[in-house]
Amino acid sequence: MPFGIGRSPVDKRNRTVADLLVAQLIEAGVRRIYGIVGDSLNPVVDAVHRSNTGENAGKGIEWIHVRHEEAAAFAAAAEAEVTGSLAVCAGSCGPGNLHLINGLYDANRSRVPVLAIASHIPSKQIGTGFFQETHPDRLFTECSVYSEMISSADQAPRVINSAIHHAYGARGVSVLTLPGDVADLDAPAAVPDVACRPAPPRVVPDAGAVQQLVDAIDAAKKVTIFAGAGVRGAHDDVIALADKIAAPVGHSLRGKEFIQYDNPFDVGMSGLLGYGAAFDAMHDCDLLILLGTDFPYDQFLPESVRTAQVDVDPTHLGRRTRLDLAVVGDVGETVRALLPLVKKARSRKFVDSMVSKHEKAMTGVVGAYTKKVERTTPIHPEFVADTLDQVASDDAVFTVDTGMCNVWAARYITPNGRRRVIGSFIHGSMANALPHAIGVAAAQPGRQVVAMSGDGGLSMLLGELVTLKHYDLPVKVVLFDNASLGMVRLEMLVDGLPMFGTESPQVDYAAVANAIGIPAVRVEKPKDLRRALQDALNRPGPALVDVVTDPRALSIPPNITAGQVRGFAVAMSKEILGGGMGEVVSMARANLRNVPRP
C-alpha cells in the first residue's frame, strides 16, 4: 500500500524526508522520541510536532525532552527492555549525537531494539572540517548492528525500513545519520510498506547434540545448572529439569529475575556480586550446564569441571570457559527436548547439601541482621535494600545504578516473575538508574518504578531530575547516599591500594530535589526509613528519598582468593601508615557482618 493512504497521521502534502521518517516510525509502533532539540535536528523535531497537530492530536509521536542525550539513549534502552518494542532517541549534529554513544553502547550490549537518529551537518559541508563536523555513520559502528547515512530522499524509505528491521532482527541498536538539509527535502511520492515487528523464530537444537547432553547428564553423579538471561520464558521447564536430575540452580545477575523465584533448588548468584552457594555448586559438581548465559567472569567458572553450554547464539559458546558439549538452541526448546530423555536422579544428596549451604549463607551472611541494626547509624545499605524490597509493589520495576547498588539489588530485591530489575549489567556504566527509570515510566505510566541510585551516579546526570518534574513522571528515586564511590573503594582494596579519590562532599540531595519541585526527604535514622519509603511509593508523581548510608559498608565476595586477602592486608597497612587507623577500624566494624563464614 502506498504511503499515506489511510495509514499515517502525517499529511502527505509537502511531505519531507523528516515527515517520512516520523510516519514510518509511527507505523512501526513508536510512540515517543527521547532527545534534545537543536539546529540540524530541527526538521525532524518539526515533523514530530506536526504529527500531533489538528485532527492528528494524540496520534503522533511524543517528544521527551531530556537534559542530556546520554539519558535519552538510556531511557530508550529501558523502554525497549520492558516493552520489547522499538524505542527511539535522537541527537543533533556533532556533540549532540556524540552524547548518545554511552547509552547506545548499553542498549546494544543488552540486545534491545533501539533506533538512534543522529542528525548531521549540511551534506555539502561533509568532509570540509565544518563547524561541529563528526562522522556519526562511522563513530556509531561499534555500538550498533546497523549504521547508515541517508544522503538522498529516494534512498530514505528503504534505509529507514532496514534500520527498523535490523534493530528487531539483530536485537540491537540501529543508527540513522541524517543531514539536516536532506531531512528537509521533499519525500518520494511512493514508498514501500514500513517495517513491522517480526515474530521471534523458534531455534530448535540438533537432536544429536541433545542426546549427547542427555548422555552426559545421565553419566554424572553431581550436576549443577547455571542460568543466565537466556532462561527468560523457560522458568518452569528449567525447574522441572533441575528436579528430575537433582541439580542445584545458580544464576547470573541478569538471570536472577527469570529463574530465582519459586525455585526450591536456588543456590544464589556467582561472580563479583555473588552470594550463597552458587560458586561451590559450580566447582563441586561433575557436570556444569550453562543455560543461556555469556557470563564474563571466567575466574568464577571452574577449570576442571566438565561443562556443557546451551545458547541461542553460537558465537557465545566456549568463549568464556572450557566447553565439552555445545548445544545451539533456545533454552526452552532445549530443556523441553531433554526432559523426557534424561533419567531421574537416584540420589538427591548433592542438591540437598548445596541448598542447605545456601540457606546457611543467606541467614549467616546476607541476612545477618540483629535487632541492633535498626538502631545503628549510619544506616546499613543492606537494611535499606531489604526494607525497600518489603514495601515495593509486586510488579515494580527497579532500575539499578552500577556499583554497590548492583550488589544490594542482587542480594535483597526478591523476584517473583512480575518484578523487573534493569541495569547496565553488561556495559557497566555509571548514572544509568535515573534515565532508565525515565524510559520505563514514560512507556508504562501505571507501573511502580523505583530508581536505586547511588550518589555518584545521580550526581553525574543530576539534571534528569528536571525531566522527572517536567513530565511529572512517577519515578521514586531511592538514593543510597554514602558520599563515596563504594565499588571503586573495594576495587582499590582488593588491589592492595589505599583509598584515594573516592570521596565526595556531603550533599543534601533531598534539598536539591525539593528546590526542583520534587517532594523529597532526607533519612538519617533507621527508624524513619520504612515510613519515608512508604510515603514516597504511595505519592503520585516523582519523589526522592535521600538515605544517608554507611560509606564504609562494602560488598565482600563469598569466595575470597588468597590474592584478594593479601590485597586487603596491604591496603589496610598503607592506610594505617598514612595515618588512617581510625578509618581502618571503622571499616572493619562496618563489614564484619559481611565476612563469609565457613
Side-chain angles (χ1 to χ4, degrees):
M1 179 186 296
F3 167 79
I5 301 179
R7 293 178 56 165
S8 173
V10 177
D11 191 331
K12 67 178 182 178
R13 292 171 298 176
N14 301 318
R15 186 183 44 179
T16 65
V17 168
D19 292 325
L20 175 66
L21 170 61
V22 170
Q24 289 185 258
L25 292 178
I26 290 172
E27 294 196 35
V30 174
R31 292 293 171 261
R32 61 196 60 83
I33 298 175
Y34 304 90
I36 299 176
V37 302
D39 44 72
S40 59
L41 192 58
N42 286 343
V44 175
V45 174
D46 184 54
V48 169
H49 167 68
R50 287 185 285 108
S51 76
N52 279 296
T53 57
E55 62 181 20
N56 298 318
K59 300 177 183 177
I61 287 179
E62 180 184 12
W63 183 270
I64 304 292
H65 173 199
V66 296
R67 271 61 201 173
H68 194 291
E69 289 90 351
E70 180 179 354
F74 275 127
E79 177 179 328
E81 177 72 50
V82 295
T83 66
S85 298
L86 185 71
V88 181
C89 57
S92 57
C93 63
N97 60 58
L98 283 180
H99 285 162
L100 294 170
I101 199 163
N102 191 48
L104 292 184
Y105 260 99
D106 176 73
N108 200 53
R109 299 189 73 182
S110 297
R111 305 191 72 181
V112 293
V114 167
L115 187 145
I117 303 168
S119 69
H120 204 358
I121 63 172
S123 54
K124 70 178 183 180
Q125 301 292 353
I126 296 173
T128 68
F130 193 68
F131 175 65
Q132 293 188 325
E133 181 174 4
T134 59
H135 294 89
D137 52 318
R138 304 177 200 169
L139 289 167
F140 290 102
T141 299
E142 190 173 313
C143 63
S144 66
V145 297
Y146 183 87
S147 181
E148 293 291 345
M149 183 168 72
I150 298 174
S151 55
S152 71
D154 288 336
Q155 176 203 16
R158 289 201 299 173
V159 171
I160 296 167
N161 269 3
S162 188
I164 296 171
H165 278 305
H166 275 78
Y168 276 130
R171 295 197 303 165
V173 171
S174 286
V175 180
L176 288 175
T177 298
L178 183 61
D181 59 313
V182 175
D184 222 14
L185 294 174
D186 289 341
V191 301
D193 285 347
V194 299
C196 60
R197 181 180 178 181
R202 291 181 60 198
V203 183
V204 180
D206 174 73
V210 171
Q211 187 59 53
Q212 288 182 336
L213 184 51
V214 169
D215 295 340
I217 292 171
D218 289 345
K221 293 181 179 179
K222 298 183 292 184
V223 181
T224 292
I225 293 172
F226 187 68
V231 302
R232 184 175 186 175
H235 173 277
D236 292 350
D237 298 311
V238 175
I239 299 303
L241 178 65
D243 186 24
K244 190 170 184 180
I245 65 176
V249 180
H251 57 263
S252 67
L253 177 56
R254 294 182 71 219
K256 173 185 171 75
E257 61 179 320
F258 304 123
I259 197 63
Q260 189 185 44
Y261 67 96
D262 296 336
N263 181 359
F265 313 109
D266 176 50
V267 291
M269 192 172 85
S270 189
L272 296 172
L273 312 185
Y275 59 87
F279 182 92
D280 292 330
M282 294 167 70
H283 285 73
D284 294 346
C285 63
D286 302 316
L287 176 66
L288 173 63
I289 305 175
L290 304 176
L291 292 180
T293 179
D294 193 31
F295 188 71
Y297 302 106
D298 55 4
Q299 66 267 39
F300 291 93
L301 295 170
E303 296 179 356
S304 57
V305 174
R306 193 178 191 204
T307 301
Q309 188 173 1
V310 178
D311 203 292
V312 73
D313 187 342
T315 66
H316 291 176
L317 298 173
R319 72 174 179 177
R320 310 293 191 191
T321 184
R322 63 177 286 171
L323 182 64
D324 299 282
L325 289 170
V327 181
V328 178
D330 174 79
V331 169
E333 297 281 358
T334 303
V335 173
R336 286 189 290 273
L338 287 172
L339 273 169
L341 301 178
V342 293
K343 296 177 182 177
K344 187 175 180 63
R346 292 189 297 270
S347 171
R348 304 186 74 83
K349 182 178 178 180
F350 179 61
V351 66
D352 290 343
S353 66
M354 287 298 125
V355 169
S356 176
K357 190 167 190 175
H358 176 65
E359 290 175 353
K360 182 179 179 182
M362 293 297 287
T363 56
V365 182
V366 177
Y369 289 121
T370 66
K371 293 180 181 179
K372 188 177 180 181
V373 75
E374 297 189 16
R375 300 190 297 272
T376 301
T377 57
I379 299 171
H380 292 178
E382 306 98 318
F383 178 60
V384 181
D386 186 50
T387 305
L388 176 61
D389 179 61
Q390 296 174 37
V391 300
S393 67
D394 288 342
D395 67 342
V397 179
F398 300 87
T399 62
V400 184
D401 259 343
T402 297
M404 299 309 296
C405 284
N406 265 200
V407 181
W408 313 137
R411 295 185 178 182
Y412 295 97
I413 298 302
T414 305
N416 58 13
R418 289 174 290 166
R419 285 178 166 181
R420 294 298 314 274
V421 180
I422 296 172
S424 185
F425 297 143
I426 300 178
H427 188 49
S429 175
M430 285 182 65
N432 63 283
L434 179 54
H436 271 162
I438 288 171
V440 176
Q444 299 183 338
R447 198 166 184 182
Q448 187 178 93
V449 183
V450 180
M452 294 177 63
S453 298
D455 58 287
L458 181 67
S459 61
M460 187 176 285
L461 286 175
L462 188 61
E464 299 311 319
L465 289 177
V466 178
T467 306
L468 291 188
K469 175 61 179 176
H470 184 175
Y471 295 97
D472 197 34
L473 293 171
V475 171
K476 317 305 179 184
V477 180
V478 179
L479 181 63
F480 289 69
D481 187 357
N482 62 4
S484 71
L485 301 177
M487 184 62 77
V488 181
R489 297 179 83 184
L490 179 60
E491 292 166 351
M492 289 180 171
L493 290 173
V494 168
D495 288 338
L497 303 173
M499 293 167 289
F500 178 77
T502 60
E503 307 309 303
S504 300
Q506 287 283 351
V507 175
D508 188 341
Y509 289 98
V512 174
N514 278 313
I516 291 171
I518 295 174
V521 62
R522 187 172 172 89
V523 179
E524 298 181 349
K525 297 180 179 179
K527 67 181 180 66
D528 299 328
L529 177 65
R530 181 176 291 267
R531 174 58 64 85
L533 292 174
Q534 289 174 327
D535 288 348
L537 292 172
N538 293 330
R539 178 188 295 275
L544 183 144
V545 181
D546 180 2
V547 187
V548 180
T549 60
D550 190 346
R552 300 173 183 86
L554 302 175
S555 164
I556 299 176
N559 298 90
I560 301 176
T561 67
Q564 289 172 332
V565 171
R566 287 193 295 272
F568 274 107
V570 171
M572 291 297 93
S573 299
K574 291 177 179 177
E575 286 288 339
I576 292 172
L577 292 173
M581 181 64 182
E583 176 74 8
V584 171
V585 172
S586 296
M587 183 169 291
R589 288 174 177 168
N591 290 285
L592 280 175
R593 63 188 183 278
N594 282 325
V595 174
R597 297 169 174 83

